[in-house]
Amino acid sequence: MSLTPLVTTVVPALSEGAAHEPAVSPYVVGVSVFGVLLVLMLGLLMFGAGRDHS
């Protein structure tokens, strides 16, 4: 049994399906970046809340 017929039929089908959809949804990236920035901002506010700047 040769792998050539299997490779020639499966590989184009896989590459065709992957070409139309992005690997990660842009919405997932946007929400995760927003979450990281929100956590960093809250950490900055919490760190600065205990300081006296007089």
Side-chain angles (χ1 to χ4, degrees):
M1 180 173 175
S2 176
L3 290 178
T4 306
L6 180 64
V7 170
T8 57
T9 57
V10 172
V11 172
L14 289 176
S15 64
E16 220 175 81
H20 297 294
E21 294 183 14
V24 180
S25 173
Y27 294 110
V28 172
V29 173
V31 168
S32 62
V33 168
F34 179 72
V36 168
L37 291 175
L38 187 64
V39 167
L40 288 173
M41 187 180 70
L42 288 173
L44 181 65
L45 290 173
M46 290 173 61
F47 178 73
R51 305 282 182 184
D52 186 18
H53 297 288
S54 58

